[in-house]
Amino acid sequence: MPPGLISARQLLLVVATDWTSSGAYLSRYERPDATASWVPAGLPLELSLGRAGLAWAPEFVTPGMSPGPIKREGDGCSPAGAFPVTGLFGVAGPMPGAKLPWLQATPDLKCVDDPASRHYNRIVEQSRVGCIDWNSCEDMLRTDGRYEVGAVVGCNVEPAVPGAGSCIFLHVREAPGTPTAGCSALARDDMIALAAWLDGARSPWLVQLPHAAYADLRGPWRLPEIFA
C-alpha cells in the first residue's frame, strides 16, 4: 500500500471499466481515523478521464501489479495509482472555508510540462523564475472555465521523473462526456462542492484504477467496495 494512503481519512475513488475508458465515476469516502472502515460521503460524481484512458504512473509499475500501459508525457492518459491531493487553485481568491492551500491563478502562474526543464511538473510564478528554461507550460489562468476551480494531484513528484507526466489536476470538465488531455474533470458545480469538501487535515487521496486493477488491489490497499 502507498504509505500516505494508510493515514488518509478522505478518499476519492475512481474505478473505470478498463484501461481505455475515458469516463468513470468518482466516489467520495471518509473515516474518523486510519483504523476505521471507509464510509460513503455523498453520491458518485460523473467524471471525465483522459482521451486515451488510464496508464500506470511509473512508481506503481512493480512486480505483481496488474499489467497496463505506463504514463508518459502527452499520451492523453490519466494516471492510474494512488496520489495525495495537495492543494486547490482558482481564478478568484481563496474559496470561503477552503481547507487546503490555495493558489490564485494569474497570468504569471504556470505549470511547466517541458521534461527538459528543471521546473518540470511544478507550478511556478514565471516572474520569480530566474531563467525560463522551458518551451511549453500550462497557463493556470484560462478563459474557458476549466480552471475556474481545481485541485492539485501529487503525481510524479519528489522527485519528478522527466517525461513521466505533469500538471495533473482535478478540474472543471469542458462538457459532459468530453475527455481530458490527462487530468480528471467534473461538472462545475461538482468540482466546487468537491473543493469545499477536501480537508488537508484529513489527508485526502485520489485512487484511480481500471476495474481489474481495483479487484487486485482492493484488499492490499484496504479500499472500500464500490457503491452505486
Side-chain angles (χ1 to χ4, degrees):
M1 179 190 294
L5 185 58
I6 296 172
S7 58
R9 291 188 289 128
Q10 285 186 326
L11 174 67
L12 309 178
L13 178 61
V14 177
V15 180
T17 301
D18 55 38
W19 289 104
T20 63
S21 298
S22 59
Y25 283 87
L26 181 151
S27 297
R28 292 161 290 171
Y29 296 85
E30 57 191 5
R31 57 185 178 180
D33 59 64
T35 64
S37 298
W38 290 110
V39 176
L43 296 174
L45 306 175
E46 187 177 345
L47 181 88
S48 294
L49 292 168
R51 61 180 181 273
L54 290 163
W56 283 120
E59 60 264 36
F60 294 99
V61 181
T62 57
M65 295 295 276
S66 297
I70 301 172
K71 175 69 185 165
R72 294 288 181 263
E73 186 69 40
D75 61 3
C77 291
S78 297
F83 315 99
V85 181
T86 58
L88 299 171
F89 60 87
V91 298
M95 175 185 294
K99 297 180 286 292
L100 278 170
W102 182 272
L103 285 171
Q104 183 171 351
T106 68
D108 197 42
L109 198 66
K110 312 292 183 183
C111 186
V112 180
D113 58 13
D114 181 350
S117 170
R118 68 183 185 279
H119 302 289
Y120 179 65
N121 199 27
R122 288 178 55 197
I123 299 174
V124 300
E125 292 181 77
Q126 184 170 271
S127 64
R128 293 177 177 268
V129 174
C131 177
I132 297 175
D133 65 349
W134 60 80
N135 292 314
S136 64
C137 63
E138 284 270 350
D139 292 325
M140 297 302 294
L141 183 62
R142 297 175 60 136
T143 59
D144 58 13
R146 286 184 238 175
Y147 286 4
E148 179 180 349
V149 63
V152 180
V153 177
C155 177
N156 189 30
V157 295
E158 298 178 2
V161 177
S166 64
C167 307
I168 303 299
F169 307 128
L170 290 159
H171 64 74
V172 177
R173 69 186 180 188
E174 179 181 358
T178 302
T180 73
C183 292
S184 300
L186 300 158
R188 175 183 179 274
D189 289 349
D190 289 343
M191 186 64 239
I192 291 173
L194 180 65
W197 179 74
L198 291 167
D199 184 350
R202 304 185 72 188
S203 303
W205 274 63
L206 168 68
V207 173
Q208 294 189 145
L209 299 167
H211 193 276
Y214 164 78
D216 289 344
L217 293 171
R218 184 186 162 205
W221 286 12
R222 302 176 192 170
L223 298 174
E225 183 177 3
I226 302 170
F227 69 93

